[in-house]
Each structure stands twice: as structure tokens, then as C-alpha cells.
Amino acid sequence: MSAGRYAPSPSGDLHLGNLRTAILAWLFARASGRELLLRYEDVDTSRTVPGSAERQRADLEALGVTFDRAAIFQSHRRQIYDDAVGQLTARDLVYECFCTRREIQDAPRAPHAPPGAYPGTCRELTAQQLRRRRTERPPALRLRAGTAQASVQDSLLGVLTAAVDDFVLVRNDGVAAYNLAVVVDDQLTGVDQVVRADDLADSAPRQDYLRELLYREEAAAVDYAHVPLVVTQQGRRLAKRDGAVTLAELAERGVSPDRVRDALLESLNLPAGPLENVLEVFDPAALPREPWVWEPSR
Ligand code: GLU
């Protein structure tokens, strides 16, 4: 069965921005007859806060954001990511990169190279250079990308075009990089709908490119919807430090989960009430396209 997913990092309680995106992921999935999966993006276990996965799930369920199947934890899936890298390595699509952040910043690059794109420094190291550099620091693994950009169709943003550089697949501490883990997990769990905050929109073309490389045969097209963020009055992405922004903090001020749900629905021009009822009137085309500015006094 095809599915959507919600994929938080269990690094603390979810805030209103996260919760609003989760409500949308639920509405998009259910409105299109899909399951909704919960996936914890915890490849970087140093950022995991104990107990936060359970709290996140409880908060989501308190709003009516329910999930199908058991949640998956990326930290348990290292072998699966390694296998995917193995497939790419066998096709000579992976190379070792020893660059530090600083080296990447300072490297000469082509005049029209997109900002932040990897300049290709380690792409063609000789066997001798490789031997020397391996004694200096452990390598990250990069994809040998065969294109400079790619496009995907987004149901809210239209055609999304972004750079596809030789992005990192495995960090130099052996941990799968975000793009690799997302593509492998989405594909292997039947996810064909990705609803997430629009600050990740630029990742979609990279991920789609990698998905085609890895799963050419079986890759079903993915429906993308990158939804507007919740921002502060200063226009900054909402963060946990911005006052009472989690369900627990709001509950302390006497604001119930139902009221939070209704305020989030209102911010999406949707009627208040249990999410099942909202489904009947949910129309992606009518969603606001601007960020929602959160006012602490609400
Ligand atoms: N883990 C990411 C986040 O919490 C979401 C990644 C994704 O949906 O692809 O923002």
C-alpha cells in the first residue's frame, strides 16, 4: 500500500511548526487514501534526547495525527544504508572525500556553480593521493553525480529545480547522511508522498535523482508537497526557544491539545474539529502559500 510519512528527529519535544506540518502530512495522506508512517530520523544518535520519541508520538496522537504500522528508527537501519552504498559503489558512483568544511568553502569553483555545491576536489584523486589522505582523516563518501541539477513536481510549489552536486552519502564518522537515509527509507517502506516543511524543498531534486539511480526499475513517482513554515514575527523559523511552543508548555498555560489543533487548522484556513471531519473539506489547492507568523500572545 502506498504511504506518506512524518519524519521527526527525536531531539526534543515537537513545536507548533512541527505539529502543523504533521497535521498536513496526515491530511494529505488520508485524503489520498494512503497510510501514514512515522519514522524517527535519529541517524545522528548524539542528538537523540531519551524519551523524546515517545513524547513526540503522544503529542501527535493528542492532536489526532495517528499512524499505521510500527514506527521505524533510522538508527537501527545502518546495514540497509550500507547495502545501498554498496550498490552504488559497485557501479563506480561513490568516491572518498577528505575535505574539511573549510577546504570546501575555500576551494576554487566554476563561476556559475551553485552556492554550497561541492566543488569536486576529491573526485579524481590518484591512488597515491588516496593513500596519503587516508592516513590523515577518515573519508566521507560522496555520490558521483552525473548532472548539475534536477527538477521535481511539487503540488504546492510547482516545478522545483535545484542543484544536484556530489553530495555526501555517508559522513566521515560512518553515519548515513540525511539524503541517503531518506531516499532508502522512503523507497523501502512504500512511501510515495512526501509532505514536509518547505525549508527542505531544495533537497527534493537531489533525493529524486538518487532515488532514480538506486531504484530505477521499481521507483514509483513521489508526490511532493513542501508546506510553508511557521515563523516568528522577525521572520525566523520558529524554534523551541520562542516561548510556549510545545504541547506541554501550552498545557501549562491551560491550552488544551484540542485548542492547539484548532488554532493550527485555522492557520491553514481549515475548520476546527477532529481531523477526520476536516478531511471532508481538505483541498490542497486552497492551502495558504505564505509562512504563518506566530504571535506568542495567541
Ligand atoms: N527529519 C526532518 C525534520 O525533522 C524531516 C526530513 C524529511 O521529511 O525528509 O525536519
Side-chain angles (χ1 to χ4, degrees):
M1 176 156 187
S2 66
R5 77 328 190 255
Y6 183 64
S9 296
S11 54
D13 284 356
L14 298 171
H15 62 57
L16 292 169
N18 310 130
L19 296 168
R20 188 173 184 257
T21 301
I23 286 179
L24 284 167
W26 190 95
L27 289 168
F28 269 91
R30 298 290 187 236
S32 57
R34 288 177 167 93
E35 293 187 331
L36 185 66
L37 312 185
L38 177 58
R39 175 172 82 225
Y40 291 109
E41 301 216 321
D42 62 345
V43 278
D44 188 348
T45 48
S46 68
R47 292 184 50 228
T48 297
V49 172
S52 115
E54 293 74 21
R55 286 170 64 92
Q56 291 185 344
R57 184 173 194 142
D59 284 356
L60 291 163
E61 287 177 347
L63 299 183
V65 177
T66 49
F67 296 96
D68 304 285
R69 303 189 225 166
I72 70 168
F73 288 82
Q74 290 189 326
S75 57
H76 300 169
R77 295 167 65 80
R78 180 158 180 170
Q79 187 58 50
I80 296 172
Y81 308 133
D82 285 351
D83 289 348
V85 173
Q87 281 182 43
L88 295 168
T89 305
R91 292 157 61 192
D92 195 25
L93 291 172
V94 178
Y95 65 89
E96 294 175 29
C97 170
F98 302 88
C99 293
T100 60
R101 231 167 258 204
R102 171 40 76 78
E103 281 167 340
I104 294 175
Q105 236 173 47
D106 296 349
R109 54 189 73 231
H112 301 295
Y118 181 64
T121 322
C122 291
R123 203 176 220 253
E124 310 293 347
L125 294 182
T126 62
Q128 194 186 6
Q129 286 170 322
L130 266 175
R131 267 198 306 277
R132 183 176 54 77
R133 299 231 54 187
R134 279 181 188 146
T135 63
E136 294 165 5
R137 64 197 309 259
L141 300 180
R142 285 187 184 272
L143 177 70
R144 199 180 286 283
T147 184
Q149 61 173 43
S151 303
V152 301
Q153 181 69 35
D154 184 284
S155 63
L156 299 179
L157 302 176
V159 178
L160 274 176
T161 300
V164 178
D165 62 346
D166 286 357
F167 56 89
V168 172
L169 299 170
V170 181
R171 305 181 339 189
N172 84 342
D173 57 2
V175 170
Y178 162 67
N179 285 313
L180 174 73
V182 163
V183 168
V184 170
D185 286 342
D186 281 348
Q187 180 70 27
L188 298 188
T189 56
V191 166
D192 62 354
Q193 181 186 60
V194 170
V195 177
R196 61 186 169 197
D198 65 10
D199 58 343
L200 288 168
D202 273 1
S203 312
R206 279 195 175 99
Q207 291 171 6
D208 217 60
Y209 177 77
L210 180 58
R211 187 174 60 85
E212 295 243 331
L213 272 185
L214 271 170
Y215 304 108
R216 260 178 307 197
E217 310 296 298
E218 64 266 52
V222 173
D223 286 345
Y224 290 98
H226 288 89
V227 302
L229 288 172
V230 179
V231 298
T232 64
Q233 278 158 315
Q234 292 75 41
R236 191 172 38 68
R237 188 194 161 134
L238 188 72
K240 280 170 204 143
R241 61 174 180 278
D242 289 316
V245 292
T246 66
L247 279 196
E249 289 161 354
L250 288 159
E252 267 174 36
R253 300 183 179 205
V255 184
S256 69
D258 284 0
R259 270 182 58 203
V260 175
R261 177 202 62 209
D262 289 346
L264 293 173
L265 287 168
E266 188 193 341
S267 80
L268 294 163
N269 300 335
L270 289 166
L275 298 187
E276 279 78 14
N277 302 353
V278 177
L279 263 188
E280 289 156 28
V281 297
F282 179 63
D283 173 13
L287 288 172
R289 306 301 166 98
E290 297 299 314
W292 182 47
V293 182
W294 183 70
E295 293 156 36
S297 57
R298 291 177 74 90

PDB file of all heavy atoms in Angstrom, residues 248-276:
ATOM      1  N   ALA A 248       3.309  20.515  25.774  1.00  0.00           N
ATOM      2  CA  ALA A 248       3.490  20.502  27.230  1.00  0.00           C
ATOM      3  C   ALA A 248       3.517  21.936  27.762  1.00  0.00           C
ATOM      4  O   ALA A 248       2.877  22.251  28.774  1.00  0.00           O
ATOM      5  CB  ALA A 248       4.768  19.758  27.591  1.00  0.00           C
ATOM      6  N   GLU A 249       4.242  22.813  27.086  1.00  0.00           N
ATOM      7  CA  GLU A 249       4.327  24.209  27.546  1.00  0.00           C
ATOM      8  C   GLU A 249       2.972  24.901  27.446  1.00  0.00           C
ATOM      9  O   GLU A 249       2.582  25.684  28.317  1.00  0.00           O
ATOM     10  CB  GLU A 249       5.354  24.976  26.701  1.00  0.00           C
ATOM     11  CG  GLU A 249       6.792  24.554  26.971  1.00  0.00           C
ATOM     12  CD  GLU A 249       7.755  24.947  25.843  1.00  0.00           C
ATOM     13  OE1 GLU A 249       7.297  25.443  24.785  1.00  0.00           O
ATOM     14  OE2 GLU A 249       8.964  24.748  26.027  1.00  0.00           O
ATOM     15  N   LEU A 250       2.252  24.604  26.391  1.00  0.00           N
ATOM     16  CA  LEU A 250       0.941  25.240  26.229  1.00  0.00           C
ATOM     17  C   LEU A 250      -0.054  24.680  27.251  1.00  0.00           C
ATOM     18  O   LEU A 250      -0.880  25.426  27.789  1.00  0.00           O
ATOM     19  CB  LEU A 250       0.446  25.041  24.789  1.00  0.00           C
ATOM     20  CG  LEU A 250       1.230  25.904  23.786  1.00  0.00           C
ATOM     21  CD1 LEU A 250       1.117  25.358  22.368  1.00  0.00           C
ATOM     22  CD2 LEU A 250       0.760  27.363  23.834  1.00  0.00           C
ATOM     23  N   ALA A 251       0.068  23.388  27.555  1.00  0.00           N
ATOM     24  CA  ALA A 251      -0.829  22.794  28.550  1.00  0.00           C
ATOM     25  C   ALA A 251      -0.642  23.470  29.904  1.00  0.00           C
ATOM     26  O   ALA A 251      -1.601  23.722  30.634  1.00  0.00           O
ATOM     27  CB  ALA A 251      -0.577  21.290  28.659  1.00  0.00           C
ATOM     28  N   GLU A 252       0.614  23.812  30.210  1.00  0.00           N
ATOM     29  CA  GLU A 252       0.887  24.519  31.472  1.00  0.00           C
ATOM     30  C   GLU A 252       0.156  25.851  31.535  1.00  0.00           C
ATOM     31  O   GLU A 252      -0.133  26.358  32.606  1.00  0.00           O
ATOM     32  CB  GLU A 252       2.384  24.815  31.591  1.00  0.00           C
ATOM     33  CG  GLU A 252       3.143  23.751  32.326  1.00  0.00           C
ATOM     34  CD  GLU A 252       4.644  24.035  32.279  1.00  0.00           C
ATOM     35  OE1 GLU A 252       5.045  25.216  32.333  1.00  0.00           O
ATOM     36  OE2 GLU A 252       5.388  23.040  32.156  1.00  0.00           O
ATOM     37  N   ARG A 253      -0.095  26.438  30.409  1.00  0.00           N
ATOM     38  CA  ARG A 253      -0.842  27.702  30.371  1.00  0.00           C
ATOM     39  C   ARG A 253      -2.332  27.492  30.163  1.00  0.00           C
ATOM     40  O   ARG A 253      -3.054  28.406  29.778  1.00  0.00           O
ATOM     41  CB  ARG A 253      -0.312  28.574  29.247  1.00  0.00           C
ATOM     42  CG  ARG A 253       1.129  28.852  29.468  1.00  0.00           C
ATOM     43  CD  ARG A 253       1.689  29.763  28.443  1.00  0.00           C
ATOM     44  NE  ARG A 253       3.085  29.953  28.798  1.00  0.00           N
ATOM     45  CZ  ARG A 253       3.808  30.992  28.468  1.00  0.00           C
ATOM     46  NH1 ARG A 253       3.266  31.935  27.743  1.00  0.00           N
ATOM     47  NH2 ARG A 253       5.067  31.083  28.832  1.00  0.00           N
ATOM     48  N   GLY A 254      -2.741  26.241  30.286  1.00  0.00           N
ATOM     49  CA  GLY A 254      -4.177  25.957  30.208  1.00  0.00           C
ATOM     50  C   GLY A 254      -4.702  25.794  28.787  1.00  0.00           C
ATOM     51  O   GLY A 254      -5.914  25.794  28.573  1.00  0.00           O
ATOM     52  N   VAL A 255      -3.798  25.655  27.815  1.00  0.00           N
ATOM     53  CA  VAL A 255      -4.261  25.482  26.431  1.00  0.00           C
ATOM     54  C   VAL A 255      -4.285  23.983  26.120  1.00  0.00           C
ATOM     55  O   VAL A 255      -3.253  23.309  26.175  1.00  0.00           O
ATOM     56  CB  VAL A 255      -3.327  26.203  25.433  1.00  0.00           C
ATOM     57  CG1 VAL A 255      -3.878  26.105  24.020  1.00  0.00           C
ATOM     58  CG2 VAL A 255      -3.126  27.652  25.839  1.00  0.00           C
ATOM     59  N   SER A 256      -5.466  23.459  25.813  1.00  0.00           N
ATOM     60  CA  SER A 256      -5.594  22.013  25.599  1.00  0.00           C
ATOM     61  C   SER A 256      -5.117  21.632  24.202  1.00  0.00           C
ATOM     62  O   SER A 256      -5.083  22.472  23.300  1.00  0.00           O
ATOM     63  CB  SER A 256      -7.062  21.614  25.746  1.00  0.00           C
ATOM     64  OG  SER A 256      -7.794  22.163  24.648  1.00  0.00           O
ATOM     65  N   PRO A 257      -4.780  20.339  24.013  1.00  0.00           N
ATOM     66  CA  PRO A 257      -4.398  19.869  22.667  1.00  0.00           C
ATOM     67  C   PRO A 257      -5.479  20.178  21.622  1.00  0.00           C
ATOM     68  O   PRO A 257      -5.150  20.524  20.482  1.00  0.00           O
ATOM     69  CB  PRO A 257      -4.224  18.366  22.846  1.00  0.00           C
ATOM     70  CG  PRO A 257      -3.915  18.184  24.295  1.00  0.00           C
ATOM     71  CD  PRO A 257      -4.630  19.275  25.025  1.00  0.00           C
ATOM     72  N   ASP A 258      -6.757  20.070  22.002  1.00  0.00           N
ATOM     73  CA  ASP A 258      -7.813  20.369  21.023  1.00  0.00           C
ATOM     74  C   ASP A 258      -7.740  21.824  20.569  1.00  0.00           C
ATOM     75  O   ASP A 258      -7.943  22.130  19.391  1.00  0.00           O
ATOM     76  CB  ASP A 258      -9.204  20.114  21.628  1.00  0.00           C
ATOM     77  CG  ASP A 258      -9.523  18.628  21.692  1.00  0.00           C
ATOM     78  OD1 ASP A 258      -8.666  17.820  21.258  1.00  0.00           O
ATOM     79  OD2 ASP A 258     -10.614  18.274  22.189  1.00  0.00           O
ATOM     80  N   ARG A 259      -7.440  22.711  21.510  1.00  0.00           N
ATOM     81  CA  ARG A 259      -7.342  24.123  21.109  1.00  0.00           C
ATOM     82  C   ARG A 259      -6.125  24.375  20.234  1.00  0.00           C
ATOM     83  O   ARG A 259      -6.171  25.177  19.307  1.00  0.00           O
ATOM     84  CB  ARG A 259      -7.323  25.025  22.348  1.00  0.00           C
ATOM     85  CG  ARG A 259      -8.749  25.435  22.740  1.00  0.00           C
ATOM     86  CD  ARG A 259      -8.764  26.365  23.921  1.00  0.00           C
ATOM     87  NE  ARG A 259      -7.998  27.604  23.718  1.00  0.00           N
ATOM     88  CZ  ARG A 259      -7.505  28.327  24.721  1.00  0.00           C
ATOM     89  NH1 ARG A 259      -7.675  27.946  25.974  1.00  0.00           N
ATOM     90  NH2 ARG A 259      -6.844  29.443  24.466  1.00  0.00           N
ATOM     91  N   VAL A 260      -5.047  23.692  20.534  1.00  0.00           N
ATOM     92  CA  VAL A 260      -3.854  23.838  19.688  1.00  0.00           C
ATOM     93  C   VAL A 260      -4.173  23.340  18.275  1.00  0.00           C
ATOM     94  O   VAL A 260      -3.892  24.002  17.271  1.00  0.00           O
ATOM     95  CB  VAL A 260      -2.651  23.055  20.271  1.00  0.00           C
ATOM     96  CG1 VAL A 260      -1.470  23.112  19.319  1.00  0.00           C
ATOM     97  CG2 VAL A 260      -2.279  23.607  21.644  1.00  0.00           C
ATOM     98  N   ARG A 261      -4.792  22.160  18.215  1.00  0.00           N
ATOM     99  CA  ARG A 261      -5.175  21.605  16.908  1.00  0.00           C
ATOM    100  C   ARG A 261      -6.045  22.606  16.138  1.00  0.00           C
ATOM    101  O   ARG A 261      -5.799  22.882  14.952  1.00  0.00           O
ATOM    102  CB  ARG A 261      -5.941  20.287  17.115  1.00  0.00           C
ATOM    103  CG  ARG A 261      -6.454  19.648  15.838  1.00  0.00           C
ATOM    104  CD  ARG A 261      -7.621  18.709  16.139  1.00  0.00           C
ATOM    105  NE  ARG A 261      -8.741  19.440  16.709  1.00  0.00           N
ATOM    106  CZ  ARG A 261      -9.648  18.932  17.564  1.00  0.00           C
ATOM    107  NH1 ARG A 261      -9.577  17.682  17.941  1.00  0.00           N
ATOM    108  NH2 ARG A 261     -10.636  19.690  18.026  1.00  0.00           N
ATOM    109  N   ASP A 262      -7.019  23.177  16.823  1.00  0.00           N
ATOM    110  CA  ASP A 262      -7.926  24.099  16.125  1.00  0.00           C
ATOM    111  C   ASP A 262      -7.211  25.371  15.672  1.00  0.00           C
ATOM    112  O   ASP A 262      -7.480  25.886  14.579  1.00  0.00           O
ATOM    113  CB  ASP A 262      -9.121  24.440  17.022  1.00  0.00           C
ATOM    114  CG  ASP A 262     -10.065  23.241  17.183  1.00  0.00           C
ATOM    115  OD1 ASP A 262      -9.920  22.275  16.393  1.00  0.00           O
ATOM    116  OD2 ASP A 262     -10.925  23.263  18.078  1.00  0.00           O
ATOM    117  N   ALA A 263      -6.278  25.863  16.498  1.00  0.00           N
ATOM    118  CA  ALA A 263      -5.530  27.067  16.093  1.00  0.00           C
ATOM    119  C   ALA A 263      -4.665  26.756  14.869  1.00  0.00           C
ATOM    120  O   ALA A 263      -4.551  27.564  13.934  1.00  0.00           O
ATOM    121  CB  ALA A 263      -4.661  27.559  17.246  1.00  0.00           C
ATOM    122  N   LEU A 264      -4.079  25.565  14.860  1.00  0.00           N
ATOM    123  CA  LEU A 264      -3.246  25.188  13.707  1.00  0.00           C
ATOM    124  C   LEU A 264      -4.117  25.031  12.458  1.00  0.00           C
ATOM    125  O   LEU A 264      -3.747  25.463  11.366  1.00  0.00           O
ATOM    126  CB  LEU A 264      -2.456  23.911  14.008  1.00  0.00           C
ATOM    127  CG  LEU A 264      -1.379  24.056  15.101  1.00  0.00           C
ATOM    128  CD1 LEU A 264      -0.761  22.705  15.449  1.00  0.00           C
ATOM    129  CD2 LEU A 264      -0.283  25.036  14.666  1.00  0.00           C
ATOM    130  N   LEU A 265      -5.288  24.434  12.630  1.00  0.00           N
ATOM    131  CA  LEU A 265      -6.196  24.279  11.485  1.00  0.00           C
ATOM    132  C   LEU A 265      -6.634  25.651  10.967  1.00  0.00           C
ATOM    133  O   LEU A 265      -6.652  25.892   9.751  1.00  0.00           O
ATOM    134  CB  LEU A 265      -7.410  23.438  11.882  1.00  0.00           C
ATOM    135  CG  LEU A 265      -7.123  21.942  12.072  1.00  0.00           C
ATOM    136  CD1 LEU A 265      -8.305  21.245  12.735  1.00  0.00           C
ATOM    137  CD2 LEU A 265      -6.781  21.279  10.731  1.00  0.00           C
ATOM    138  N   GLU A 266      -6.929  26.547  11.908  1.00  0.00           N
ATOM    139  CA  GLU A 266      -7.345  27.886  11.494  1.00  0.00           C
ATOM    140  C   GLU A 266      -6.236  28.571  10.683  1.00  0.00           C
ATOM    141  O   GLU A 266      -6.501  29.238   9.682  1.00  0.00           O
ATOM    142  CB  GLU A 266      -7.666  28.716  12.745  1.00  0.00           C
ATOM    143  CG  GLU A 266      -8.295  30.055  12.419  1.00  0.00           C
ATOM    144  CD  GLU A 266      -8.315  30.989  13.645  1.00  0.00           C
ATOM    145  OE1 GLU A 266      -8.180  30.503  14.790  1.00  0.00           O
ATOM    146  OE2 GLU A 266      -8.451  32.195  13.425  1.00  0.00           O
ATOM    147  N   SER A 267      -4.985  28.354  11.106  1.00  0.00           N
ATOM    148  CA  SER A 267      -3.858  28.966  10.388  1.00  0.00           C
ATOM    149  C   SER A 267      -3.740  28.407   8.969  1.00  0.00           C
ATOM    150  O   SER A 267      -3.060  28.977   8.124  1.00  0.00           O
ATOM    151  CB  SER A 267      -2.555  28.722  11.150  1.00  0.00           C
ATOM    152  OG  SER A 267      -2.062  27.412  10.904  1.00  0.00           O
ATOM    153  N   LEU A 268      -4.394  27.291   8.726  1.00  0.00           N
ATOM    154  CA  LEU A 268      -4.366  26.663   7.392  1.00  0.00           C
ATOM    155  C   LEU A 268      -5.671  26.921   6.633  1.00  0.00           C
ATOM    156  O   LEU A 268      -5.948  26.275   5.619  1.00  0.00           O
ATOM    157  CB  LEU A 268      -4.160  25.147   7.552  1.00  0.00           C
ATOM    158  CG  LEU A 268      -2.805  24.725   8.139  1.00  0.00           C
ATOM    159  CD1 LEU A 268      -2.838  23.292   8.650  1.00  0.00           C
ATOM    160  CD2 LEU A 268      -1.713  24.892   7.076  1.00  0.00           C
ATOM    161  N   ASN A 269      -6.459  27.862   7.143  1.00  0.00           N
ATOM    162  CA  ASN A 269      -7.789  28.159   6.567  1.00  0.00           C
ATOM    163  C   ASN A 269      -8.709  26.945   6.576  1.00  0.00           C
ATOM    164  O   ASN A 269      -9.519  26.762   5.668  1.00  0.00           O
ATOM    165  CB  ASN A 269      -7.694  28.665   5.117  1.00  0.00           C
ATOM    166  CG  ASN A 269      -6.876  29.939   5.025  1.00  0.00           C
ATOM    167  OD1 ASN A 269      -6.782  30.673   6.002  1.00  0.00           O
ATOM    168  ND2 ASN A 269      -6.274  30.173   3.863  1.00  0.00           N
ATOM    169  N   LEU A 270      -8.539  26.099   7.599  1.00  0.00           N
ATOM    170  CA  LEU A 270      -9.379  24.903   7.685  1.00  0.00           C
ATOM    171  C   LEU A 270     -10.280  25.020   8.910  1.00  0.00           C
ATOM    172  O   LEU A 270      -9.933  25.690   9.883  1.00  0.00           O
ATOM    173  CB  LEU A 270      -8.494  23.654   7.784  1.00  0.00           C
ATOM    174  CG  LEU A 270      -7.759  23.304   6.484  1.00  0.00           C
ATOM    175  CD1 LEU A 270      -6.652  22.279   6.744  1.00  0.00           C
ATOM    176  CD2 LEU A 270      -8.739  22.781   5.437  1.00  0.00           C
ATOM    177  N   PRO A 271     -11.436  24.361   8.884  1.00  0.00           N
ATOM    178  CA  PRO A 271     -12.355  24.459  10.014  1.00  0.00           C
ATOM    179  C   PRO A 271     -11.824  23.712  11.237  1.00  0.00           C
ATOM    180  O   PRO A 271     -11.071  22.752  11.101  1.00  0.00           O
ATOM    181  CB  PRO A 271     -13.624  23.776   9.481  1.00  0.00           C
ATOM    182  CG  PRO A 271     -13.164  22.886   8.388  1.00  0.00           C
ATOM    183  CD  PRO A 271     -11.939  23.522   7.785  1.00  0.00           C
ATOM    184  N   ALA A 272     -12.221  24.162  12.413  1.00  0.00           N
ATOM    185  CA  ALA A 272     -11.840  23.499  13.653  1.00  0.00           C
ATOM    186  C   ALA A 272     -12.486  22.117  13.711  1.00  0.00           C
ATOM    187  O   ALA A 272     -13.433  21.842  12.991  1.00  0.00           O
ATOM    188  CB  ALA A 272     -12.307  24.341  14.842  1.00  0.00           C
ATOM    189  N   GLY A 273     -11.933  21.284  14.591  1.00  0.00           N
ATOM    190  CA  GLY A 273     -12.594  19.998  14.830  1.00  0.00           C
ATOM    191  C   GLY A 273     -11.656  18.834  14.641  1.00  0.00           C
ATOM    192  O   GLY A 273     -10.527  19.020  14.192  1.00  0.00           O
ATOM    193  N   PRO A 274     -12.113  17.634  14.994  1.00  0.00           N
ATOM    194  CA  PRO A 274     -11.266  16.451  14.807  1.00  0.00           C
ATOM    195  C   PRO A 274     -10.825  16.349  13.346  1.00  0.00           C
ATOM    196  O   PRO A 274     -11.571  16.727  12.432  1.00  0.00           O
ATOM    197  CB  PRO A 274     -12.197  15.289  15.168  1.00  0.00           C
ATOM    198  CG  PRO A 274     -13.309  15.885  15.961  1.00  0.00           C
ATOM    199  CD  PRO A 274     -13.441  17.305  15.530  1.00  0.00           C
ATOM    200  N   LEU A 275      -9.627  15.811  13.155  1.00  0.00           N
ATOM    201  CA  LEU A 275      -9.059  15.794  11.802  1.00  0.00           C
ATOM    202  C   LEU A 275      -9.928  14.992  10.822  1.00  0.00           C
ATOM    203  O   LEU A 275     -10.001  15.335   9.640  1.00  0.00           O
ATOM    204  CB  LEU A 275      -7.640  15.229  11.825  1.00  0.00           C
ATOM    205  CG  LEU A 275      -6.604  16.025  12.643  1.00  0.00           C
ATOM    206  CD1 LEU A 275      -5.207  15.454  12.430  1.00  0.00           C
ATOM    207  CD2 LEU A 275      -6.633  17.507  12.306  1.00  0.00           C
ATOM    208  N   GLU A 276     -10.577  13.939  11.316  1.00  0.00           N
ATOM    209  CA  GLU A 276     -11.447  13.153  10.416  1.00  0.00           C
ATOM    210  C   GLU A 276     -12.480  14.050   9.739  1.00  0.00           C
ATOM    211  O   GLU A 276     -12.781  13.884   8.566  1.00  0.00           O
ATOM    212  CB  GLU A 276     -12.216  12.054  11.173  1.00  0.00           C
ATOM    213  CG  GLU A 276     -11.434  10.797  11.447  1.00  0.00           C
ATOM    214  CD  GLU A 276     -10.481  10.992  12.609  1.00  0.00           C
ATOM    215  OE1 GLU A 276     -10.637  11.999  13.336  1.00  0.00           O
ATOM    216  OE2 GLU A 276      -9.571  10.164  12.770  1.00  0.00           O
TER     217      GLU A 276
END
